[in-house]
Amino acid sequence: MTATAPDQTTSEPEKTADISFPVEGMFCASCVRRVERALEKVPGVAGANVNLATERASVSYDPAAVSLADLRGAVEKAGYGIPAEEFTFDVEGMTCASCVRRVERALEKVPGVQQANVNLATEQASVRLLPGSTSRDDLVRAIEKAGYGVRAPAETSDIEDAEAAAEARQQRDLLMMKIKIVASLAVSAILMLLMFWPSWLIARPYDEMKDIFLLSFILATPIQFWAGAQFYRQAWAAAKHFQTNMSTLVVLGTLAAWGYSTFATFFPHVIENSGLMAEVYFDSATIIIGLILLGKYMEMRAKAQTTGAIKSLMGLAARTARVIRGDQEVDIPVEQVVVGDVIRVRPGEKVPTDGVILDGRSALDESMLTGESLPVEKTTDDEVIGATVNRTGSFTFRATRVGKDTALAQIVRLVSEAQGSKAPIQRLADQISMYFVPAIIVLALATFGIWLAVGPEPTFNRALTAMIAVLIIACPCAMGLATPTAIMVGTGVGAEHGVLIRGGEALEQAHKVGAIVLDKTGTITRGKPALTDLIPIGDFDRDELLRLAASAEQGSEHPLGEAIVLAAKERGLALASVGGFEAIAGHGIRATIDGRELLLGNAKLMRERNIDAASQSAQAEKLAGLGKTPMYVAVDGQLAGLVAVADTIKPESPKAIEQLEALGLEVWMLTGDNRATAEAVAAQVGIAPERVLADVLPGEKADKVRELQSRGMAVAMVGDGINDAPALAQSDLGIAIGTGTDVAMEASDVTLVGGDLRGVVTAIALSRKTVQTIKQNLFWAFAYNVVLIPVAAGALYPWIGEMLSPALAAGAMAISSVSVVTNSLRLRKFAVPEDPREIAHPPLRRRLAEVSYLLAFALIGFGIGAAFFWYQTTTDNHAAAEEMPEHPTTQIREKSEVATWDVSIS
């Protein structure tokens, strides 16, 4: 028998990491064990310990096999939650899309970080992480280790103060940049004047030119290292970590021009003895810095306009409030208002904060928040929103939410978070930009080598010019700005129209929607029953019939009864006292009014009490077919008439549904009502019967959405109630009616501040327009680099005999970034056409305007380029016509195939 030798190899112990995080929703020991087992089942988890007292879970796991998303998913699948902690940083030193991805990757490596989004347009990083897993200082160190800085947060008390501090800082930066731009361009003009003055076009010995060269050096050097200091700082910060960015390209290009020119100024004979020409390019270096700074300045100004929506929203807030203290009314700053204060609002004043009306009535203009142009009538017990404008009457209200809890503050916060988010479409651009700058450096060196090897005389000068042009013209900035600027403007415009979009992902997802499901109650309809019909019989008139019915119902809590009572009060009818009230389950009510017995209910109640209602049965069926609830009224055993109550349709619903269908969407209606009632409502708003989902229980709504998704469609769900939350979460795009519950709003991707269903049209149309703008921006950014980089390398030289000037390359680079931001700013003019036909088929003028803008920058660029080439060619021809003196430089030039005196900035 042969013994098996034991395995002599020992495996290296697996590296494990420990993490602790809070768990929400645990109530007892069984919850603890359930969470532990869920975590232990995750492959790669070595152990899990859950503490009910601290409501925290401690997990040991293999980081190579388990992600934080896996742990979160396991806990959520078990029916519990993990709250997320979020930090926002102002990042300094980012110049292009490659910087964005670099900062994101540095943050994602920090233990506990679930998601990191960096926005080049706002220069902010948003980090989502497990609470307690890491500290803010760890995140700051990660950013700094990547080669960037973190601006200290302003010590301010509220959002408005923080925005003011940020704006003041931005204005200071713009002022300093403006000074540098003026200095750079002024020095550039002087240097070009020195180089192109007609009497100096004729070649002269170095001894006669050295004063000009020296003066050029003195003027250009401060521009190179003072005006261009930010490029050096940013390039060095990246270089310390063996990384590159846009500033690396600018520094390499301008430093090559300045360095060669400096050497030619102080050691000209070394250059001439080696067979090269002692020329200087100080003018190229300075104008490149000036133009790029000018482009960054224009870019910053344009980016500032993308945040205009937040500034507009914050500007809506009232500054003071008239608070009733005892017998006096005192004006105090709105910041001093506390919950429970009673506040008076007079005509023309803004409502200082959110609350509920105690006394009085008025019409309030809520258009600044909801987008609805008509004033809304408000009376006792109605809610009012801070920052809305009181148009007519005076009223008092009790403050219910103040400060950061008000609707306006929450809207500002949501818009700010959305503007700092990132759409999935941007990920590709960020990934490409990681390798873009190193590739451009390699391409520039290759360009230099090719021109040096096979280019015409003067080969070195042409090779240097081509290399500088390639380094300068490449622009990763445009790729980094393509998406965030469009999202910033798009979400801001949405807020101005009463549409709150949660972030870039929701904005991008909305344009993919193919079907939209509308909950009936509270979405298509008002969600509040109202009296619609009064049909008296015999000696009864309409007012008497309504008075009796309302008198009987004034003790009822049923919504249908409340609608009848409200209608009577609105008509000013005096209700009688009720005696012997009895609610008959499933049938109606019985009451004694003015000594007479009154019955109010359905046909079953009439039959049981032997009341002949056959004469009105056809009328009742007709009302029911229209989606109304008919009720018979009998007095002392005789039929007195019919009253009908219905959840009336919102006036704007038919128009909104027509517009949604014009957008090419399948519109479905979802309701728990019976099919007859549901189809009657659908017919009134223009929804086809086959797209009515009726008799749906609250728990089945998410299943119906899932069924539509199984057909391959992206589905949007619109609802307002708690029972809509699961369906909103299941849908590809959840849209909550803002007049509904907070639970529905929390589960949604888009929230309509008002109850107007046309906000859904705005959200979908705005999404499509924003995504179209993003695609245009990305196309422009990529096409710019694909087309102009070969031109900068000299691809057109064999045909036109000219090379791209580095100065022109700098101008083109500036134009590319500005064009992307400007294209995004066009979204500020977005508006949904009222006519559905214009949605489906935009007018010719709009399509022409779209095309004309796309061509505008191309024509501008072509015109500038043509002017530069014309000027350069004219200068060269004029120089060639002059008699050139004998000089070593001239002798070198006479050996070349192109015997021209190249003194232009190329």
Side-chain angles (χ1 to χ4, degrees), residues 47-61:
N49 180 43
V50 179
N51 189 315
L52 181 62
T54 60
E55 295 184 339
R56 295 187 72 85
S58 299
V59 183
S60 295
Y61 66 102

Side-chain angles (χ1 to χ4, degrees), residues 147-478:
Y148 302 89
V150 177
R151 210 164 26 240
E155 297 181 359
T156 52
S157 57
D158 56 29
I159 296 175
E160 189 170 353
D161 289 343
E163 286 290 330
E167 185 174 357
R169 184 175 59 248
Q170 184 184 59
Q171 291 301 320
R172 288 194 300 269
D173 293 343
L174 287 173
L175 178 60
M176 179 55 66
M177 188 175 289
K178 189 185 297 185
I179 294 172
K180 291 182 177 181
I181 290 168
V182 172
S184 300
L185 296 181
V187 169
S188 299
I190 294 171
L191 293 178
M192 293 178 71
L193 183 65
L194 290 174
M195 298 305 297
F196 293 120
W197 193 261
S199 63
W200 294 328
L201 286 174
I202 302 173
R204 297 180 183 276
Y206 173 74
D207 291 341
E208 296 182 23
M209 296 291 292
K210 64 179 181 181
D211 292 338
I212 295 176
F213 284 5
L214 186 60
L215 178 60
S216 299
F217 168 79
I218 294 171
L219 291 173
T221 300
I223 300 301
Q224 183 71 29
F225 298 103
W226 167 70
Q230 68 183 70
F231 302 121
Y232 283 89
R233 286 195 300 268
Q234 294 160 357
W236 174 243
K240 286 191 297 185
H241 301 279
F242 304 101
Q243 297 170 351
T244 57
N245 54 29
M246 187 207 76
S247 292
T248 306
L249 301 178
V250 176
V251 167
L252 289 177
T254 58
L255 197 57
W258 179 88
Y260 177 76
S261 302
T262 300
F263 192 82
T265 298
F266 294 102
F267 307 99
H269 298 296
V270 175
I271 296 176
E272 292 175 349
N273 292 339
S274 64
L276 301 176
M277 293 191 311
E279 288 191 351
V280 293
Y281 295 91
F282 290 122
D283 52 342
S284 294
T286 55
I287 198 170
I288 285 169
I289 290 175
L291 288 175
I292 292 177
L293 286 175
L294 179 61
K296 297 297 288 183
Y297 176 83
M298 295 169 64
E299 179 186 311
M300 288 176 66
R301 288 287 302 271
K303 280 161 58 177
Q305 295 179 46
T306 62
T307 60
I310 291 181
K311 295 175 184 175
S312 298
L313 287 170
M314 291 191 302
L316 297 175
R319 303 298 178 187
T320 61
R322 181 172 289 268
V323 179
I324 300 176
R325 300 278 170 86
D327 296 332
Q328 295 183 332
E329 295 183 1
V330 184
D331 288 332
I332 64 173
V334 73
E335 293 82 5
Q336 297 178 12
V337 175
V338 297
V339 173
D341 276 345
V342 177
I343 303 169
R344 181 176 300 281
V345 183
R346 295 171 296 186
E349 293 181 339
K350 287 184 178 180
V351 178
T353 187
D354 299 357
V356 177
I357 293 180
L358 299 176
D359 180 54
R361 60 187 304 138
S362 183
L364 270 68
D365 181 359
E366 299 181 345
S367 60
M368 67 289 293
L369 294 179
T370 66
E372 298 176 7
S373 57
L374 295 177
V376 181
E377 293 291 334
K378 300 281 186 177
T379 186
T380 306
D381 295 333
D382 284 342
E383 291 187 356
V384 291
I385 305 173
T388 55
V389 179
N390 182 26
R391 289 299 185 196
T392 54
S394 175
F395 63 89
T396 59
F397 75 97
R398 187 180 304 280
T400 56
R401 288 182 292 189
V402 299
K404 60 183 177 60
D405 297 324
T406 63
L408 178 63
Q410 293 181 50
I411 289 170
V412 171
R413 178 180 57 81
L414 283 171
V415 174
S416 179
E417 290 176 356
Q419 291 191 338
S421 65
K422 179 178 293 186
I425 196 173
Q426 178 67 17
R427 304 285 180 187
L428 175 63
D430 289 350
Q431 198 65 33
I432 291 174
S433 66
M434 283 287 293
Y435 309 99
F436 181 80
V437 176
I440 290 300
I441 294 174
V442 172
L443 180 61
L445 293 174
T447 300
F448 180 83
I450 293 171
W451 275 95
L452 196 62
V454 300
E457 292 289 347
T459 55
F460 181 84
N461 300 67
R462 295 188 185 278
L464 182 64
T465 298
M467 182 186 74
I468 294 172
V470 170
L471 289 170
I472 297 303
I473 204 167
C475 187
C477 294

